[in-house]
Amino acid sequence: MIDKFVASALEAVADVRDGATVLIGGFGQVGTPNHLIEALCERGLRDLTVVSNNAGTGAHGLARLMAEGRVRKVICSYPRSRGSVVLEELYREGRIELEVVPQGTMAERMRAAGAGIPAFWTPTAAGTQLGEGKEVRAFGGRACVLEHALKGDVALIEAWEADRWGNLTYRMSGRNFNPVMAMAADLTIVQTQHRVALGELDPERIVTPGVFVDRVVHIPYGKPRLW
Amino acid sequence: MDTVVDVVPLDRHGMARRLAADIPEGWVVNLGIGIPTLVSDHVPAEREVIFQAENGVIGVGPAPPPAEEDPWLINAGKQMVTLRPGGSFVSQSDSFALIRGGHLDLCVLGAFEVAENGDIANWAISSNEKAPAVGGAMDLAAGAKRLWVIMEHTTKDGRPRLVKRCSYPLTALGVVSRVYTNLAVLDVTPEGFAVRDMIPGMTLEALQARTEAKLRPAA
């Protein structure tokens, strides 16, 4: 019997290693797997590279992971959200590397990784600072830059519903980066608000098929706290 | 700058209202953070315009009354919004396929500067500032069928923002087709900025005095 549920968030992240590249779902605080991130904090890892749209707010979740010195590098599109004080301070002091990537390019780099495409051309960022140092080629008279796939060792995902095969649904704007990150890592770990029986999810409604998921932990924490 | 003109510049909502009047029914539109977000408040509900938010919401409706706020439903500015009947949720991948694949009829962004060749600078004010943040601006600017900019005509200390060449880091090159300011509406043409209309009392001469790039009346 396939059963991807594990008992706790700590057990779910037990074999994440130092130096791992960790994809973290969510947009702001919506769809963000904060309990898995907190468990990662408990592991006391070093030199993590974190890929996340935002760079944490307040003092919990990703902000805590960074504040405790676990993160060597952040790859994100928008590190300057309200309350992103930890990243701002670490960046100012030169204690963290930051790679800023256009949001669509970031999503597409992970989509490419999940789909077995090593690199792709896009006009986004061509001729700008964020395109500097990248290969350039014109398609239909338009300059494009070469962007490389972005693969994770681990992806941390937040779902709304999950069954024991790891089939997932999401809630409203909580979907965001979660489906693409679930497909782009070697080890995909999910925290889900609701646990449902196999066969209960309408197949037409499953967004992430369980084949992309390795572990699920049931954490019914309620509504996201926006700030 | 000394030209005496008895005019009242548009405020933020006035600018948003002016732009909203030019959005036809049926367009798919993305609104940037800041003044652009106000545009949807000025599109009457009976004119069906589909607003899209980068975080995967298609068919964004107005802000909810406090009793109906739902933190699961936010826009790209992380404000709570509603979903119109017919709206849908997609992943970030599909949301940016929509944006980058040319499926947006219009994107409205704010900017620091727009150049007469259509270059836009709106994401960073220098190359070595505190943690830079780009979000979806470069994808939107490069991917939308039309890019309109909405911004004050000059900086707070009176420096022009409609310039010959941008001095701030670029967001995208040659993509802006129209600019709505608190003083005028201008098209970006192969010959530079062409003034479509101005607020009451404004003259082309007075507008030129507040603009670095050369202005001409629209044909």
Side-chain angles (χ1 to χ4, degrees):
Chain A
M1 187 175 93
I2 299 170
D3 186 0
K4 296 179 180 176
F5 277 93
V6 296
S8 70
L10 206 53
E11 184 183 336
V13 302
D15 54 357
V16 179
R17 294 181 179 177
D18 289 343
T21 294
V22 184
L23 315 180
I24 300 181
F27 188 95
Q29 287 299 309
V30 181
T32 304
N34 278 316
H35 292 75
L36 292 177
I37 305 170
E38 293 285 334
L40 210 55
C41 291
E42 300 299 328
R43 290 283 323 282
L45 296 167
R46 298 170 49 190
D47 292 330
L48 299 175
T49 292
V50 167
V51 183
S52 165
N53 187 62
N54 305 105
T57 52
H60 66 291
L62 178 52
R64 178 182 162 201
L65 194 68
M66 293 188 299
E68 293 179 356
R70 307 303 174 197
V71 181
R72 181 178 60 79
K73 179 177 181 179
V74 173
I75 301 175
C76 74
S77 88
Y78 207 82
R80 209 190 296 152
S81 304
R82 175 153 42 141
S84 294
V85 288
V86 171
L87 182 277
E88 201 66 67
E89 185 179 329
L90 292 172
Y91 182 78
R92 191 170 54 238
E93 294 168 356
R95 289 163 56 206
I96 200 160
E97 270 181 69
L98 178 64
E99 179 181 343
V100 172
V101 182
Q103 199 171 126
T105 293
M106 196 172 114
E108 190 65 10
R109 286 177 63 191
M110 290 185 281
R111 200 195 70 80
I117 297 166
F120 58 91
W121 296 98
T122 176
T124 296
T128 75
Q129 266 179 25
L130 298 188
E132 280 174 14
K134 293 182 174 161
E135 282 183 59
V136 179
R137 183 166 151 190
F139 292 86
R142 190 161 197 207
C144 293
V145 294
L146 186 66
E147 295 283 359
H148 291 265
L150 178 54
K151 191 170 171 63
D153 297 306
V154 184
L156 305 183
I157 302 302
E158 196 213 31
W160 181 245
E161 299 160 302
D163 62 27
R164 65 177 172 81
W165 277 19
N167 292 309
L168 309 179
T169 70
Y170 302 94
R171 182 157 175 80
M172 298 185 174
S173 62
R175 186 178 307 196
N176 58 62
F177 278 95
N178 284 301
V180 67
M181 287 180 168
M183 296 169 70
D186 291 331
L187 175 66
T188 293
I189 306 171
V190 177
Q191 70 168 72
T192 182
Q193 295 262 359
H194 300 282
R195 176 178 185 155
V196 300
L198 195 69
E200 194 174 316
L201 293 176
D202 179 351
E204 303 283 5
R205 206 160 61 79
I206 292 170
V207 177
T208 296
V211 293
F212 296 108
V213 171
D214 297 288
R215 292 173 199 159
V216 186
V217 57
H218 181 205
I219 299 172
Y221 75 88
K223 291 188 170 185
R225 287 187 322 177
L226 287 189
W227 327 115
Chain B
M1 295 291 162
D2 295 324
T3 322
V4 178
V5 220
D6 184 19
V7 297
V8 181
L10 297 176
D11 63 12
R12 290 156 58 91
H13 273 284
M15 295 161 69
R17 189 179 303 114
R18 175 64 191 85
L19 189 151
D22 291 343
I23 301 178
E25 183 160 68
W27 274 15
V28 181
V29 179
N30 181 292
L31 301 175
I33 293 170
I35 302 177
T37 303
L38 303 178
V39 168
S40 59
D41 294 346
H42 299 284
V43 175
E46 64 273 17
R47 194 199 308 158
E48 294 195 332
V49 172
I50 298 171
F51 291 103
Q52 181 257 8
E54 294 97 295
N55 56 323
V57 186
I58 301 174
V60 176
E68 289 162 37
E69 287 180 341
D70 187 340
W72 287 101
L73 182 44
I74 62 169
N75 65 13
K78 305 184 180 77
Q79 300 159 313
M80 286 186 274
V81 292
T82 52
L83 191 72
R84 286 187 64 150
S88 55
F89 301 116
V90 296
S91 73
Q92 214 81 10
S93 287
D94 289 346
S95 184
F96 277 89
L98 188 162
I99 291 166
R100 291 153 66 104
H103 307 283
L104 277 180
D105 295 294
L106 172 67
C107 176
V108 183
L109 293 176
F112 301 127
E113 291 175 325
V114 175
E116 61 188 1
N117 62 357
D119 290 358
I120 172 175
N122 86 336
W123 74 284
I125 51 172
S126 76
S127 42
N128 56 358
E129 65 179 311
K130 58 182 190 172
V134 69
M138 288 189 181
D139 310 282
L140 287 160
K145 284 185 200 160
R146 291 175 194 81
L147 179 60
W148 294 353
V149 166
I150 188 165
M151 65 179 188
E152 306 276 335
H153 202 88
T154 59
T155 63
K156 285 198 178 71
D157 51 358
R159 282 180 296 120
R161 304 171 93 167
L162 294 157
V163 294
K164 291 175 180 161
R165 289 291 175 267
C166 292
S167 59
Y168 292 132
L170 293 177
T171 306
L173 286 64
V175 290
V176 178
S177 55
R178 192 179 288 172
V179 184
Y180 292 79
T181 77
N182 52 344
L183 304 177
V185 180
L186 310 95
D187 279 331
V188 179
T189 74
E191 292 77 41
F193 289 114
V195 181
R196 285 175 71 91
D197 65 41
M198 294 178 282
I199 60 170
M202 179 57 71
T203 66
L204 192 60
E205 184 189 20
L207 193 68
Q208 182 66 71
R210 290 158 170 76
T211 311
E212 180 194 284
K214 174 78 180 139
L215 302 179
R216 70 193 75 227

